[in-house]
């Protein structure tokens, strides 16, 4: 298994409040890794630390074999794209927002967008079924469309690593399936490494290749999803008795009450 992100004893805090307490993990390349754990355990904080959005000792993280501490912000933005849980309705159109993904690849001091970048943006928006709203304002589209636009921007950024913070939260079933299928396609077609914070265990069981389980700011367990997805381990993680409902194709994890 080729390792894409290596984390060794990572700590991170918000002021005096420590959130990550010596977390270590090895994220495999070209797989969909789901990060699971209770609210407040440090899942979103980990994504922010990987993007240097919060202070943390960057020397304990390596990205594609290079120390995070040695990367400029421009170089890091060429390696990692981030889709936050909520996309702010900036005063931009869908096309303009998606085109921002090309910013790390522009020549330094360039303020204009190339025809190639515009063509790529149109192509990705078309591929994701967003062409019909390309010139609408972000504030005038639905939450599902806004989340899909954020994923389009990340794809247009063309990074080997995509980090996503609950990209399917508050979306209907159709949009959830659409987003997960798009991400799996990016992995199979472009060998991207996708790391997702998730709360839906059953969605993770259907799509994740690898799991990172976090509890109290540190690694509770990690490994292939096929090995870690079981009611006993998940019950310990969430401090809630769970049981499994399964057939020949899938397994569901539900409260045991």
């Amino acid at each position: 298994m080729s390792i894409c992100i290596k984390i060794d004893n990572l700590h991170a805090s918000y002021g005096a409040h420590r959130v990550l307490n010596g977390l270590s993990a090895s994220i495999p390349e070209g797989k969909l890794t789901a990060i699971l754990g209770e609210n407040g355990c440090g899942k979103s904080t980990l994504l922010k630390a990987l993007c240097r959005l919060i202070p943390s000792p960057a020397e304990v993280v390596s990205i594609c074999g290079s120390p995070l501490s040695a990367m400029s912000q421009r170089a890091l933005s060429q390696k990692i794209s981030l889709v936050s849980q909520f996309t702010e309705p900036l005063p931009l159109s869908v096309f303009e927002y998606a085109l921002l993904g090309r910013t790390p690849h522009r020549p330094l001091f360039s303020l204009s967008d190339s025809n190639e970048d515009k063509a790529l943006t149109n192509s990705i928006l078309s591929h994701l079924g967003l062409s019909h709203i390309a010139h609408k304002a972000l504030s005038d589209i639905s939450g599902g469309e806004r989340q899909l636009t954020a994923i389009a921007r990340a794809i247009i950024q063309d990074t080997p690593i995509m980090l996503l913070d609950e990209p399917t939260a508050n979306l209907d079933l159709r949009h959830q399936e659409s987003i997960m299928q798009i991400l799996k396609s990016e992995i199979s077609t472009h060998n991207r490494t996708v790391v997702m914070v998730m709360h839906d265990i059953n969605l993770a069981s259907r799509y994740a290749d690898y799991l990172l389980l976090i509890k109290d700011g540190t690694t509770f367990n990690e490994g292939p999803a096929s090995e870690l997805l079981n009611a006993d381990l998940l019950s310990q993680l969430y401090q809630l008795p769970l049981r499994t409902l399964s057939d020949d194709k899938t397994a569901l994890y539900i409260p045991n009450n």
Side-chain angles (χ1 to χ4, degrees):
M1 180 178 69
S2 180
I3 303 302
C4 184
I5 302 174
K6 181 69 174 176
I7 306 165
D8 184 19
N9 197 32
L10 177 64
H11 294 77
S13 304
Y14 296 103
H17 176 55
R18 175 164 287 183
V19 180
L20 296 180
N21 298 292
L23 184 145
S24 298
S26 299
I27 306 298
E29 180 183 10
K31 304 291 183 182
L32 194 157
T33 294
I35 305 176
L36 302 178
E38 295 179 295
N39 290 338
C41 70
K43 301 184 299 295
S44 298
T45 299
L46 173 58
L47 298 192
K48 292 176 182 178
L50 294 177
C51 294
R52 289 204 302 238
L53 296 179
I54 59 172
S56 58
E59 66 272 8
V60 304
V61 177
S62 65
I63 305 293
C64 301
S66 299
L68 181 60
S69 57
M71 292 185 181
S72 66
Q73 195 59 44
R74 178 180 173 84
L76 182 60
S77 297
Q78 293 173 351
K79 293 288 187 184
I80 294 179
S81 55
L82 174 66
V83 177
S84 300
Q85 186 174 350
F86 301 104
T87 301
E88 294 294 331
L90 301 173
L92 299 171
S93 69
V94 168
F95 178 85
E96 291 168 336
Y97 180 78
L99 185 60
L100 290 176
R102 298 308 300 162
T103 301
H105 304 284
R106 289 176 182 164
L108 290 175
F109 311 115
S110 173
L111 299 178
S112 61
D113 302 299
S114 69
N115 290 332
E116 291 81 3
D117 287 347
K118 292 177 181 179
L120 174 64
T121 300
N122 278 320
S123 175
I124 297 300
L125 291 178
S126 176
H127 177 63
L128 300 189
L130 296 172
S131 292
H132 67 293
I133 61 170
H135 296 292
K136 282 190 174 184
L138 284 177
S139 57
D140 293 338
I141 62 177
S142 71
E145 290 170 331
R146 196 177 299 155
Q147 193 71 337
L148 197 53
T149 299
I151 291 173
R153 177 194 52 75
I155 293 173
I156 289 163
Q157 194 171 332
D158 194 22
T159 56
I161 302 169
M162 295 175 65
L163 307 181
L164 303 101
D165 192 352
E166 294 189 64
T168 60
N170 303 314
L171 300 184
D172 60 54
L173 185 60
R174 180 172 67 87
H175 280 98
Q176 287 182 18
E177 288 296 307
S178 176
I179 285 174
M180 296 308 299
Q181 291 291 341
I182 287 167
L183 294 174
K184 292 296 282 189
S185 176
E186 285 298 308
I187 292 170
S188 62
T189 305
H190 301 288
N191 195 40
R192 298 197 203 278
T193 298
V194 175
V195 183
M196 293 177 57
V197 169
M198 302 182 74
H199 277 302
D200 190 330
I201 301 172
N202 295 313
L203 198 62
S205 73
R206 292 178 57 203
Y207 286 102
D209 304 302
Y210 195 85
L211 296 181
L212 172 58
L213 310 182
I214 299 178
K215 190 173 183 65
D216 299 327
T218 193
T219 303
F220 179 69
N221 211 326
E222 67 171 307
S226 59
E227 297 178 7
L228 298 191
L229 280 170
N230 64 79
D232 289 341
L233 188 62
L234 294 173
S235 296
Q236 295 175 49
L237 179 68
Y238 290 103
Q239 302 182 74
L240 175 71
L242 299 173
R243 62 190 176 97
T244 307
L245 295 178
S246 62
D247 57 24
D248 293 337
K249 294 183 178 180
T250 189
L252 296 177
Y253 302 92
I254 62 174
N256 189 18
N257 52 29

